[in-house]
Amino acid sequence: MSTPYYIPDENVPLPPADAEVITTACDYCIVACGYKVYRWPVKGGKNGGAMAAENAFGEDFPVQALGPWVAPNQHNIVLHKGEPHHVVIIPDKDTEAVNVNGDSSLRGGCIAQKCYNPETPTRDRLKSPMMRIYGLLQPVTWDFALDIAAEIGKYVIKKHGTNAYGVKTYSYQYIENTYAITKYALRSVNTANFTFHDTPSNVSSTPGFRDAGFDNFGASYQDWKDADTLLICGTDPYETKTILFTQWIMPAIQGGQKAIFMVPRKTAGVAFAEQNGGLWLDVTPGTDLLVVNAIARIIVENGWQDKEWIEKWVNDKWGSSSGFGQGTRNTPWQWRTTWGKFQTKGFEDWSKWLLAQDEFKLDAAAEVSGVDAAKIQLAAEMMAKPREDGSRPKTSIMIEKGFYWSNNTGNTQAISALGITVGAGGRPGQMIGRAGGHQRGGVGGGGYPRNKSPMKLPGRRRRALDTDTYTMAGHTRLAHVIGTTWIQAMLGSQQLSQRFHELTRGNPHQIQSINREKILETLKARVDSGGMVVINQDIYLVDPIGNQFADIIFPAATWGEEDFLRANGERRVRLYQKFYDAPGEAKPDWWIISRLAKKMGFEGFDWETSNDVAEEAAKFTRGSRKDFNMVKVAAHREGKTLHEKFREMGTNGIQAPVYMNDDGSLTGTVRLHDTTRKLPPNGPTGLNMFNKKLTHFNSQTGKCNIQKSPWSLFSDYWEWMKPKDDELWCTSGRANERWQSGFDDTRRPYIVQRWPDNWVEINEEDAAKRGIESGDLVLLSNDRVPALKDTTLGVESSDYSFTGQMANGNVELSEASVTAVAMVTRAVKPGVMYMDFLHYSQPANALAGRVVDWISGNYNYKMGVAKVSKIGESPYKHSFRSMSFAPRDIVI
């Protein structure tokens, strides 16, 4: 799809002074930098000139450093109203929020190349609905494709039940789309066979945060900057959220902030922190809980906890148990906080438990985690030791996937308790939350039907359905996949791919006619024989889910092709404006869902514009972190639509939840759980809603629950998984230059040249023992990939653990292998390898066990193991044109 080597353009047109200016935001990471799109017609050949009066920037060229210059990757040609137009897309130099210096990451800086242009590698965008006939995907009309999809959907539901209709979709995309999809799947179809792109079950990604009462995204970017000490677990924001680091965290470090990174890999952000008085806790995968609790133990032993804050804001025995009654705890956070495994009677009770656990003693934790005891001690001092004048350091805690996808329940319970101990939560510069991956575009259009899930836990407790295990066991008869690479993104991915093939292409009932009735007869026969039909909505034909397995393809319109709303990591909601035509017949996901729903016979999907969807969704944001309902109220008072009101706000947008003042003006929310915030004493007026999380915590009392985090609930899985013989840990994550599966990046020659194949970082000592050098082609293999066979089986509590499932015969082992280009480096600690987490052709997830955290229902993605051996030399070993092997822990 791309040229072998990047040949850069030598010039780019400047926008003329009368070019249209449209605001938007970056489509990629959680930070969501603000951008301006300059658009003008190709026809007539009118471009901007070098003099200030001749261009839209009002600048004389060449400009000074950091001025509004335009790189070739920031220019493209698109269709607007059917006519070719130039677009130049650059960071908004005038924005007052997020990328306040007008800077961008490499990803966002190249976002103009995302736009469809048939003269670029984006030419393979999906442009029409398709159906697989005689094994080949062939174009069909929208009406025909939607009709077949609706008829087989209705048949599956009637014949095999609602849970046979599975929906796998993104959670992060645009509000109009996520609302429409969840309204369809959860309210109309009402299936429990539903989940989002990054988890096998529809569950909280951070159960410990939920139990403690912390919102994932309570902090503002300013809070990360204002902390005296910032503990960052499971991510390097420089690699993954560049502008959050360079414009917010890095200046703070230069000003004296102590940044502590707890990751198994040293990258530029980690090295910068160390160089400026920070700390690297080089934790072994899966042992984070031990280090976190060892830090907490040191703090408690020395009496460094924030006593005043704890006294005021942490539940005691009575607060922990209040409001629950004596019946079944029907939601996970209720039963986890009252089960006895985690619940405490308050801080003193938790402290007694903590001090009684030998594995949390400093030397014991250091030995298992591989982190030097002196560094654990120093981390505790940086976070909590009072100064000579008695003042305390302002400490904030940031976590992300490398942390919470390694012992999901235990790690998030432990870090919540540590945050409570140091008073991180509810004050400027003293917050705890996620750094974030994707932007936050989810608005629920329906509640999850937990009562329909066949998956349970000890007692009368139901857990959300594990869609991967359910599908592998043959229970899913129709898989509706929307905007996600389901197979590579999940664990045991090679076995999942094989099973998809058996259920779809491997089934004897394949479409061999264009006749409607014969197609339906064939698909019905397939699902009745135990097979599966796949519907895929996407912007490209993704391999294998779309290219190999899908029966019906719906082409989606995306960023820049429709007006959409979305929030970023500090809950800032903005309008991402349409500025060019979607390719061919591609339609936004909300439109596809609305037409499919109506053909299915469901009511409430009569939307004509994306604004119609947004205005309906607005009322369902009330009480949530993205509550922007009052923006709609203000818009209607002014005779405007919701989208028009947000358009006026430009790249600044507004931080949700949004409150309307008595004079009709709107006020955003800087941070949640803001114990310093003063709300109107008479309560909310008009249509305003006061969420508890505005000034308190999301618990039954408004105070925090401090919970235990037993290592024993996870240690059996960790002991079984840890490397044996010649194996090494093989963990995974992001690289700065690529985004997600590379769906855009594989169509950018520069990025393809930089990352032409998947790669694996391996420590110098481990590489030398195996005769591996940088540039070698290596094979990573695991002959003991565990996976659950079917719904978790058990009666007693012990049955539900990994050991219990093994004893009950519900775990099977299989083999997996991937190839990669070796990168020998000091950046990863000995015994650990690191790969791209979602490479489209060589998924690291194939090497990790498809076994959910038995309490939360999430995966431990970061705990793969593999043997590694050299199988030859890659084409890049002796070339300097592609795939650099320079270390990533260099700082100037």
Side-chain angles (χ1 to χ4, degrees), residues 117-190:
N117 180 340
E119 296 185 359
T120 72
T122 62
R123 64 180 65 89
D124 64 332
R125 274 286 300 273
L126 291 169
K127 305 173 189 67
S128 70
M130 293 192 288
M131 189 168 296
R132 193 177 302 277
I133 304 171
Y134 282 104
L136 299 176
L137 287 168
Q138 302 183 30
V140 295
T141 66
W142 268 112
D143 190 62
F144 189 78
L146 288 165
D147 183 52
I148 297 296
E151 288 303 312
I152 192 63
K154 287 188 287 187
Y155 179 82
V156 165
I157 293 169
K158 182 177 180 180
K159 183 75 178 289
H160 300 282
T162 54
N163 282 359
Y165 193 122
V167 178
K168 182 82 168 181
T169 183
Y170 47 65
S171 68
Y172 57 86
Q173 227 240 13
Y174 299 101
I175 285 169
E176 294 80 357
N177 291 337
T178 60
Y179 175 76
I181 293 165
T182 53
K183 179 178 181 179
Y184 172 78
L186 299 177
R187 201 191 315 179
S188 298
V189 177
N190 199 227

Side-chain angles (χ1 to χ4, degrees), residues 456-768:
K456 62 186 293 293
L457 283 166
R460 293 174 291 168
R461 304 181 180 97
R462 289 194 180 272
R463 196 187 69 206
L465 186 150
D466 172 358
T467 56
D468 287 355
T469 301
Y470 202 71
T471 299
M472 290 287 289
H475 303 307
T476 301
R477 303 302 173 91
L478 191 157
H480 192 161
V481 187
I482 307 171
T484 180
T485 51
W486 182 352
I487 291 170
Q488 297 98 317
M490 296 292 104
L491 297 186
S493 48
Q494 290 175 339
Q495 288 72 38
L496 190 59
S497 181
Q498 179 184 356
R499 185 60 171 145
F500 258 80
H501 182 273
E502 293 171 356
L503 295 169
T504 57
R505 300 298 299 281
N507 186 281
H509 302 285
Q510 300 295 315
I511 300 174
Q512 296 180 350
S513 172
I514 194 63
N515 178 272
R516 176 186 183 276
E517 298 307 321
K518 289 184 179 180
I519 291 172
L520 288 172
E521 180 182 339
T522 298
L523 296 181
K524 290 175 182 179
R526 188 193 301 175
V527 300
D528 288 346
S529 67
M532 183 172 70
V533 173
V534 176
I535 301 170
N536 187 208
Q537 292 176 215
D538 217 319
I539 62 173
Y540 291 106
L541 199 58
V542 176
D543 194 49
I545 194 76
N547 193 37
Q548 296 184 38
F549 304 140
D551 297 284
I552 301 171
I553 297 287
F554 293 143
T558 186
W559 180 85
E561 299 166 2
E562 179 71 291
D563 284 338
F564 289 122
L565 290 174
R566 186 157 62 173
N568 73 349
E570 58 175 0
R571 295 157 282 99
R572 190 175 298 277
V573 184
R574 287 169 290 182
L575 181 68
Y576 296 56
Q577 294 190 58
K578 176 177 180 175
F579 59 87
Y580 81 104
D581 301 340
E585 298 178 62
K587 299 291 185 182
D589 287 315
W590 67 262
W591 184 96
I592 300 170
I593 291 295
S594 70
R595 271 56 180 181
L596 177 62
K598 287 194 284 187
K599 283 184 175 288
M600 291 277 286
F602 300 136
E603 297 181 350
F605 292 86
D606 297 321
W607 305 306
E608 293 301 323
T609 68
S610 59
N611 181 76
D612 292 342
V613 192
E615 294 203 355
E616 181 178 321
K619 64 182 178 182
F620 290 92
T621 69
R622 298 187 75 201
S624 75
R625 77 166 72 100
K626 288 190 288 289
D627 186 346
F628 57 85
N629 189 62
M630 297 311 295
V631 181
K632 181 179 74 173
V633 174
H636 289 182
R637 286 184 178 181
E638 297 168 16
K640 302 167 185 172
T641 68
L642 176 63
H643 277 179
E644 287 172 341
K645 184 66 177 176
F646 269 111
R647 185 173 289 113
E648 294 175 353
M649 298 180 184
T651 57
N652 292 329
I654 189 167
Q655 285 177 280
V658 180
Y659 177 79
M660 180 180 281
N661 301 305
D662 291 340
D663 62 0
S665 61
L666 299 172
T667 297
T669 298
V670 175
R671 69 187 56 81
L672 297 178
H673 316 307
D674 192 341
T675 59
T676 68
R677 184 176 182 178
K678 302 297 183 184
L679 295 174
N682 296 328
T685 56
L687 294 176
N688 281 304
M689 173 181 283
F690 281 172
N691 188 307
K692 181 191 297 183
K693 290 190 289 188
L694 293 177
T695 55
H696 290 70
F697 297 93
N698 191 31
S699 72
Q700 61 275 25
T701 64
K703 296 183 178 181
C704 296
N705 290 315
I706 189 164
Q707 303 264 98
K708 296 180 286 188
S709 49
W711 173 243
S712 60
L713 295 178
F714 175 74
S715 59
D716 63 332
Y717 185 67
W718 186 84
E719 288 287 349
W720 190 93
M721 279 298 301
K722 73 178 182 180
K724 310 292 191 298
D725 302 322
D726 198 36
E727 293 176 335
L728 300 171
W729 284 110
C730 187
T731 192
S732 63
R734 303 181 193 272
N736 195 319
E737 298 87 342
R738 275 173 53 90
W739 178 248
Q740 293 302 88
S741 63
F743 63 96
D744 281 337
D745 298 321
T746 54
R747 295 161 178 87
R748 293 175 182 167
Y750 167 73
I751 301 298
V752 172
Q753 182 175 335
R754 179 66 178 83
W755 298 112
D757 287 302
N758 205 354
W759 43 271
V760 59
E761 292 183 341
I762 180 171
N763 182 268
E764 296 161 326
E765 295 178 19
D766 296 322

Side-chain angles (χ1 to χ4, degrees), residues 106-292:
L106 171 62
R107 302 174 301 278
C110 298
I111 200 167
Q113 299 304 302
K114 179 185 183 73
C115 301
Y116 170 70
N117 180 340
E119 296 185 359
T120 72
T122 62
R123 64 180 65 89
D124 64 332
R125 274 286 300 273
L126 291 169
K127 305 173 189 67
S128 70
M130 293 192 288
M131 189 168 296
R132 193 177 302 277
I133 304 171
Y134 282 104
L136 299 176
L137 287 168
Q138 302 183 30
V140 295
T141 66
W142 268 112
D143 190 62
F144 189 78
L146 288 165
D147 183 52
I148 297 296
E151 288 303 312
I152 192 63
K154 287 188 287 187
Y155 179 82
V156 165
I157 293 169
K158 182 177 180 180
K159 183 75 178 289
H160 300 282
T162 54
N163 282 359
Y165 193 122
V167 178
K168 182 82 168 181
T169 183
Y170 47 65
S171 68
Y172 57 86
Q173 227 240 13
Y174 299 101
I175 285 169
E176 294 80 357
N177 291 337
T178 60
Y179 175 76
I181 293 165
T182 53
K183 179 178 181 179
Y184 172 78
L186 299 177
R187 201 191 315 179
S188 298
V189 177
N190 199 227
T191 179
N193 190 359
F194 171 92
T195 193
F196 295 112
H197 65 285
D198 59 349
T199 179
S201 313
N202 184 27
V203 295
S204 170
S205 59
T206 53
F209 274 11
R210 177 63 186 88
D211 298 349
F214 297 132
D215 190 277
N216 276 339
F217 296 99
S220 69
Y221 293 163
Q222 187 69 43
D223 288 315
W224 304 131
K225 183 176 183 179
D226 288 346
D228 298 327
T229 301
L230 178 59
L231 174 63
I232 302 173
C233 305
T235 187
D236 174 1
Y238 174 73
E239 289 278 351
T240 60
K241 291 156 275 286
T242 307
I243 297 303
L244 178 61
F245 187 85
T246 59
Q247 294 196 10
W248 298 92
I249 297 172
M250 192 168 77
I253 293 174
Q254 291 169 324
Q257 181 186 88
K258 303 301 181 186
I260 306 168
F261 282 80
M262 187 163 69
V263 286
R265 174 179 183 247
K266 181 189 289 189
T267 46
V270 182
F272 184 83
E274 276 195 313
Q275 188 183 75
N276 289 272
L279 195 58
W280 178 33
L281 303 178
D282 51 334
V283 64
T284 296
T287 63
D288 315 72
L289 180 148
L290 299 173
V291 178
V292 169

Side-chain angles (χ1 to χ4, degrees), residues 408-469:
N408 182 244
T409 302
N411 281 0
T412 55
Q413 297 284 15
I415 202 71
S416 298
L418 177 60
I420 289 168
T421 302
V422 299
R427 292 172 288 180
Q430 293 176 275
M431 295 294 291
I432 182 170
R434 280 185 55 189
H438 284 287
Q439 294 168 37
R440 315 312 298 174
V443 171
Y448 181 76
R450 189 177 310 279
N451 62 311
K452 287 188 173 183
S453 172
M455 299 187 175
K456 62 186 293 293
L457 283 166
R460 293 174 291 168
R461 304 181 180 97
R462 289 194 180 272
R463 196 187 69 206
L465 186 150
D466 172 358
T467 56
D468 287 355
T469 301

Side-chain angles (χ1 to χ4, degrees), residues 293 338 341 350 545 625 637 756 869:
N293 280 336
T338 57
K341 297 287 186 181
W350 171 81
I545 194 76
R625 77 166 72 100
R637 286 184 178 181
S869 59

